[in-house]
Amino acid sequence: MKLENQKFAEKVLKYLLIGSQVDGIKFGLDGSTTILYFTNYSRKEDDAFCLNIETAWTVYPASCDKYPLSEAQVPTNTEEQHFKYIWDIRREKVVNVQLDTVSPHLIISLESGKVLFVNGHDANYECWQLGDHFAGGNCEWLLVATPGGNIEAWSPEHFE
């Protein structure tokens, strides 16, 4: 992952997610897809985003010194466990967002100290996408953990 791509993506992630909260969840047909809805109730524009997860993810009770390096290292959870994790972090505000340095593992820190971790590396598939296009309409914001451990970000022209 190129450092300049990582830095820009982290800047976009912080802008979009800090102050927002997990406000909803939708499970895919086969259990391999989870969509989390984030809403920032203190903003009028750029207030709602969807995180489409197509890989392993979990919630840690606190920040870690070392996060998993691959999907195989993420603890395996049932759909019921995933639902419980989201239920337990609902309405908690996001206080920080970062990407791992090697791959775009998504690390979302919440006000309780809990951390939502989403694997960001797969050799063949996109692991996660965050954007406003999942809700319909024109897409202005989109971040994608692309195959091979890279990150791509699209934003409005006015965002620097």
Side-chain angles (χ1 to χ4, degrees), residues 31-127:
S32 65
T33 302
T34 305
I35 298 174
L36 299 180
Y37 298 93
F38 287 83
T39 305
N40 189 327
Y41 288 101
S42 62
R43 287 170 48 183
K44 297 208 188 285
E45 292 182 18
D46 302 328
D47 64 340
F49 294 91
C50 296
L51 175 61
N52 184 10
I53 304 170
E54 299 179 28
T55 187
W57 63 275
T58 194
V59 174
Y60 290 103
S63 178
C64 301
D65 291 333
K66 189 173 181 180
Y67 291 99
L69 298 175
S70 68
E71 185 173 29
Q73 294 178 352
V74 178
T76 303
N77 297 299
T78 65
E79 197 169 72
E80 290 82 11
Q81 289 169 312
H82 278 148
F83 183 80
K84 173 100 171 77
Y85 284 143
I86 298 307
W87 181 261
D88 290 345
I89 64 170
R90 74 192 186 288
R91 299 189 186 103
E92 280 193 46
K93 288 188 178 178
V94 174
V95 295
N96 194 25
V97 184
Q98 64 189 64
L99 296 173
D100 194 30
T101 56
V102 177
S103 293
H105 302 307
L106 184 58
I107 303 164
I108 301 174
S109 301
L110 304 165
E111 61 189 348
S112 67
K114 293 178 183 176
V115 174
L116 171 62
F117 174 86
V118 181
N119 173 60
H121 184 272
D122 189 283
N124 301 308
Y125 302 102
E126 294 176 353
C127 292

